[in-house]
Amino acid sequence: KKWDKLSVALERAAKMGLEKMTNSPESCLVQSWSQFSHSCEKFARQCQSPSALTFSFSPGLLTTAIQTGAWVLLDEINLASFETLSRLLGLLDNGGS
């Protein structure tokens, strides 16, 4: 039920944002609010489904960098948790892939 309340609040916020930005000369904001509104509607539909809130993997910066061979700057990696460092260890080894 809390997800339903959240989805209603998000849809209301998206609608208010769209209404305010429709009269604004900044069209990029209208597009952003429109995309947010669409995402809110999709989230509301997911909350109504019997298998509510299924998530899917979307590759992040590290995954994309590994796949393309790009550089990644791990700033202040020494502050990361042991679990995070353990996961990255295989990638940082010479034989890692």
Side-chain angles (χ1 to χ4, degrees), residues 2 6 8 14 31-33 36 50 54-56 59 66 81 89 97:
K2 291 182 181 182
L6 176 63
V8 168
Q31 182 181 7
S32 295
W33 277 103
F36 178 64
T54 56
F55 294 95
S56 64
I66 292 168
S81 68
L89 185 61
S97 57

Side-chain angles (χ1 to χ4, degrees), residues 51-62:
S51 62
L53 301 179
T54 56
F55 294 95
S56 64
F57 175 77
S58 59
L61 294 175
L62 182 60

